[in-house]
Amino acid sequence: MLPKIGQMLYIQPHAATNDGGAPSMLRSRVTDADDRFLYVDIPIDEQTRRLHRTEPGDELKLTYFTSEGVKHQFAARVHSIRRDSISQLVIPKPDPDQISREQRRSFLRVEAQLEIAVRLGEKMRFTALTDDVGGGGVSFRCDRKWPITPNMKANCWLLLNYKSGTVSHAQFEGEIVRIVPVEPHHNLVMMRFQDIQDTDQQKIIRYCFEKQLERRKD
């Protein structure tokens, strides 16, 4: 499956994957497509928050995730730069056999202590810290006093802190899958996304992908 218009892309320049240094993490988005090419925004370096200088002939490794959590990757050379009102990279469309694809549906999942606001019903609200987060769900620890049961629905707001210093929020409705008591007086609540906008899901995937690259650096 080729990336769709509006699809978020995570890009590594070829040099960053072969020089033994810290991997660069660039982010872009597909803005247009035709029979031969994908057109993508000039990528942003997540660390410097600046546009990454990219030239025709540069080799890139592009990663994207479907809404079901299937990871896709392909390599490409920048064909040219399209200069309209906003400059765009022109990337040749890969053949289907050039796209590597995970055989199972699985989102990136990383350990992370992020603040999450949880609303149960109309009146009951509390905040907690996540244990891990991923594109398909989260887990968090909360006080046992909160009447949470499996299969319950909850509306949540997740605070995402990116390496660049920017902060974003993701909103979703989650379904409680499992509850495990942990000491001293808390529960570990495992939740999967029941209803989440694609833009909010991509924010979470972006955070996880960034954390995965940080681990590789370490």
Side-chain angles (χ1 to χ4, degrees):
M1 177 188 292
L2 290 169
K4 300 176 181 179
I5 294 175
Q7 179 84 54
M8 187 176 291
L9 299 173
Y10 304 94
I11 301 174
Q12 285 181 268
H14 180 73
T17 63
N18 289 276
D19 63 6
S24 298
M25 211 294 258
L26 311 178
R27 180 170 53 90
S28 184
R29 191 176 295 273
V30 179
T31 56
D32 198 3
D34 58 27
D35 291 340
R36 296 180 57 201
F37 299 108
L38 299 171
Y39 302 90
V40 307
D41 285 333
I42 302 298
I44 295 175
D45 189 307
E46 285 293 280
Q47 185 169 358
T48 65
R49 302 301 299 164
R50 295 179 179 178
L51 295 176
H52 180 79
R53 183 175 179 178
T54 310
E55 303 290 344
D58 286 356
E59 296 183 45
L60 305 176
K61 183 178 181 181
L62 300 96
T63 303
Y64 58 99
F65 298 83
T66 65
S67 59
E68 294 82 15
V70 180
K71 180 181 178 180
H72 293 69
Q73 284 186 328
F74 67 95
R77 287 181 182 271
V78 178
H79 177 271
S80 57
I81 309 293
R82 184 165 78 170
R83 303 190 187 279
D84 291 334
S85 56
I86 300 176
S87 296
Q88 299 163 314
L89 303 185
V90 182
I91 305 292
K93 281 186 173 180
D95 293 330
D97 59 1
Q98 294 176 321
I99 302 175
S100 65
R101 178 181 181 276
E102 286 189 346
Q103 296 303 310
R104 62 190 180 90
R105 298 180 177 183
S106 61
F107 286 101
L108 287 174
R109 200 169 187 92
V110 297
E111 294 182 1
Q113 288 191 318
L114 300 175
E115 185 174 333
I116 185 171
V118 181
R119 188 182 75 191
L120 305 173
E122 292 299 321
K123 297 182 178 179
M124 194 174 301
R125 305 183 184 209
F126 62 90
T127 59
L129 287 178
T130 61
D131 228 41
D132 61 34
V133 299
V138 302
S139 66
F140 62 86
R141 293 174 183 249
C142 66
D143 196 290
R144 290 182 193 170
K145 70 179 181 180
W146 302 113
I148 299 176
T149 58
N151 304 315
M152 178 180 285
K153 304 294 192 301
N155 290 300
C156 303
W157 293 261
L158 182 65
L159 182 67
L160 297 162
N161 301 295
Y162 297 108
K163 186 178 179 180
S164 63
T166 59
V167 176
S168 188
H169 294 82
Q171 183 178 354
F172 59 89
E173 179 182 81
E175 179 182 7
I176 309 301
V177 177
R178 189 180 174 197
I179 302 169
V180 178
V182 291
E183 296 300 331
H185 306 293
H186 294 82
N187 283 328
L188 177 63
V189 179
M190 301 168 202
M191 174 186 290
R192 66 182 169 211
F193 298 144
Q194 185 75 19
D195 185 14
I196 183 170
Q197 295 292 321
D198 181 65
T199 52
D200 286 329
Q201 188 177 43
Q202 289 296 328
K203 291 177 186 177
I204 296 171
I205 291 173
R206 171 189 164 194
Y207 175 87
C208 295
F209 195 78
E210 184 178 283
K211 287 294 183 184
Q212 185 185 54
L213 287 177
E214 284 183 13
R215 286 204 302 267
R216 289 178 183 173
K217 177 180 176 181
D218 296 338

